[in-house]
Amino acid sequence: MNEMRSRVLLEKLIGFATVSRDSNLALIEFVRDYLAQHGVESELFHNDERTKASLFATIGPRDRGGIALSGHTDVVPVDGQAWTVDPFALVEKDGRLYGRGTADMKGYLASVLAAVPTFIERDLKMPVHLAFSYDEEVGCLGVRPMLAQLAHREHKPVLCLIGEPTELKPVLGHKGKLAMRCCVKGAPCHSAYAPYGVNAIQYAARLINHLDEIGEELAQPEHRDERFDPPYSTVQTGVIKGGRALNIVPAECDFDFEVRALPGFHANEVAQRLQSYAESTLLPKMRAVKPDTGISLQPLSAYPGLATPPDSEAARLLALIAGSTEFGTVAFGTEGGLFEQAGIPTVVCGPGSMDQGHKPDEFVTVEQLRDCDAMLLRLADYLSN
């Protein structure tokens, strides 16, 4: 395996503009064909519209579990970002490889694909599985149908390595996420008669303030876990829509909020507390004015946190191939909690930094890509012995 192979493959992958709102099939078909050229068969798991697919492939013996090398193929949009290079054409400058997805996380996918000939050449005692998903960036959607199928198989992976950007530092934990939409239905009237209506925006503001109070409570010392940054579960409102005109009491207001939950904390508790506050405090006041007003909560997306024990077999393998027992955590989420729920212990380690992810002029360094190639070579050595 060499640096040039992974760089060439990264250039190919960056050329596919796999923003989550668009199809990833061109990239998946490229990977399928690349693997087929090396004699490796792939399974595709399509979405209902058949516009996207996840890919699963196995190298090595099929009569036992193995190590899954997992990553997502979708990237976040570039709209409104001030890029100085073409985001979908790999550009190398001063030891950096620029392009959307270089860090998050096509650099890792390129290293995995570059390692395929090495995995094939070795006499692997345990198989390597490639698990490439879609729509991770919008709620870890694409990996779920694939995991549902793997759960029924006799020999599913016994461990998963997700290559999200950690600067190749071994990571055993991350927070989970719950995203919700709150819809407030008020009662409109002319603003000159505001007390005779129900102002949906003002009631939404009270709900948002209550979320802030819950967030402040979760930040108290008794709820903290210093392994994480920030070391507590967080609550924040990110989108709000409501109102038609200043002289009309608004009849509707919707806002989206999210909970980033420490492992072990159930994010649904926040939604339940908000619903309880709405029913006990706000709705009686609203319906005293207009009986048909209301407040409802709708789930948007969710994924669980990850907390792999540092004394586990998964952690020991990660330490071996990463060359470090300095286990850490990350603030962002991954598909790791879903693999864990499927009975597949999971760790996270990949090239690049999330400090560059989701930003204009995203990059991964050539050195990080080379070091990831070396890490996968150590994995091949381990699986051969």
Side-chain angles (χ1 to χ4, degrees):
M1 182 166 42
N2 56 61
E3 177 183 306
M4 184 59 66
R5 185 187 297 163
S6 57
R7 187 201 180 285
V8 169
L9 286 163
L10 180 57
E11 185 170 12
K12 290 281 190 181
L13 297 179
I14 296 302
F16 297 105
T18 51
V19 177
S20 302
R21 65 187 175 222
D22 301 321
S23 174
N24 76 331
L25 287 182
L27 183 150
I28 286 294
E29 290 166 359
F30 165 77
V31 173
R32 179 197 61 195
D33 294 345
Y34 170 84
L35 293 174
Q37 291 169 7
H38 290 88
V40 179
E41 296 182 358
S42 302
E43 297 178 77
L44 301 188
F45 300 88
H46 289 86
N47 63 350
D48 291 340
E49 299 76 21
R50 299 191 70 80
T51 57
K52 302 179 181 182
S54 295
L55 177 146
F56 187 82
T58 299
I59 302 170
R62 294 176 175 269
D63 61 347
R64 66 203 71 177
I67 311 300
L69 304 178
S70 178
H72 61 85
T73 61
D74 60 317
V75 298
V76 297
V78 299
D79 310 54
Q81 294 187 336
W83 284 74
T84 63
V85 297
D86 182 345
F88 298 111
L90 193 70
V91 174
E92 182 173 353
K93 293 181 182 179
D94 302 322
R96 295 176 174 181
L97 300 168
Y98 291 90
R100 173 55 87 218
T102 48
D104 186 19
M105 56 179 298
K106 291 180 178 179
Y108 174 73
L109 299 184
S111 281
V112 169
L113 293 175
V116 165
T118 300
F119 290 135
I120 293 172
E121 292 165 2
R122 300 296 182 88
D123 180 21
L124 299 183
K125 304 301 188 294
M126 290 179 65
V128 169
H129 308 285
L130 276 58
F132 293 180
S133 65
Y134 64 87
D135 282 3
E136 187 271 351
E137 297 288 4
V138 290
C140 299
L141 305 181
V143 74
R144 298 172 195 255
M146 180 167 58
L147 287 174
Q149 289 290 326
L150 294 180
H152 299 294
R153 298 189 177 179
E154 182 179 2
H155 303 294
K156 64 182 179 182
V158 297
L159 187 151
C160 176
L161 171 61
I162 296 180
E164 290 278 7
T166 69
E167 299 180 291
L168 293 171
K169 298 173 182 176
V171 165
L172 300 183
H174 64 71
K175 295 178 181 179
K177 177 183 174 181
L178 172 68
M180 302 285 293
R181 175 165 296 156
C182 181
C183 302
V184 182
K185 179 186 177 185
C189 68
H190 194 290
S191 61
Y193 303 98
Y196 304 130
V198 177
N199 190 312
I201 290 177
Q202 291 180 350
Y203 276 96
R206 296 180 69 175
L207 289 162
I208 293 170
N209 285 337
H210 191 67
L211 285 174
D212 286 343
E213 293 170 357
I214 296 174
E216 290 173 359
E217 179 183 324
L218 294 176
Q220 294 303 305
E222 62 268 26
H223 301 301
R224 293 186 172 218
D225 185 336
E226 298 299 332
R227 295 176 300 169
F228 292 85
D229 181 20
Y232 46 84
S233 300
T234 59
V235 184
Q236 77 101 22
T237 302
V239 177
I240 186 166
K241 300 176 183 178
R244 303 287 180 176
L246 185 57
N247 61 354
I248 303 174
V249 170
E252 67 286 315
C253 184
D254 300 344
F255 64 89
D256 298 348
F257 68 94
E258 69 170 20
V259 183
R260 299 275 180 167
L262 290 171
F265 175 70
H266 298 289
N268 275 322
E269 290 184 22
V270 174
Q272 291 166 0
R273 290 181 60 178
L274 188 68
Q275 186 70 55
S276 177
Y277 172 71
E279 293 175 356
S280 64
T281 303
L282 301 186
L283 283 174
K285 296 179 180 179
M286 295 167 64
R287 289 173 175 168
V289 179
K290 292 290 182 180
D292 62 346
T293 54
I295 297 171
S296 61
L297 295 178
Q298 303 171 4
L300 299 177
S301 64
Y303 56 76
L306 177 69
T308 300
D311 59 349
S312 65
E313 187 65 32
R316 284 192 287 272
L317 175 59
L318 179 59
L320 177 67
I321 65 172
S324 173
T325 57
E326 295 295 323
F327 299 124
T329 64
V330 290
F332 58 84
T334 78
E335 297 166 332
L338 295 169
F339 276 92
E340 191 79 40
Q341 284 186 344
I344 303 172
T346 300
V347 293
V348 184
C349 187
S353 169
M354 196 57 83
D355 288 343
Q356 280 77 54
H358 296 203
K359 295 180 180 179
D361 289 353
E362 178 181 350
F363 70 86
V364 67
T365 65
V366 173
E367 181 182 12
Q368 281 275 296
L369 196 63
R370 182 181 65 246
D371 289 346
C372 186
D373 292 344
M375 180 181 74
L376 294 176
L377 180 59
R378 290 193 291 273
L379 176 63
D381 291 339
Y382 171 80
L383 296 177
S384 302
N385 296 313

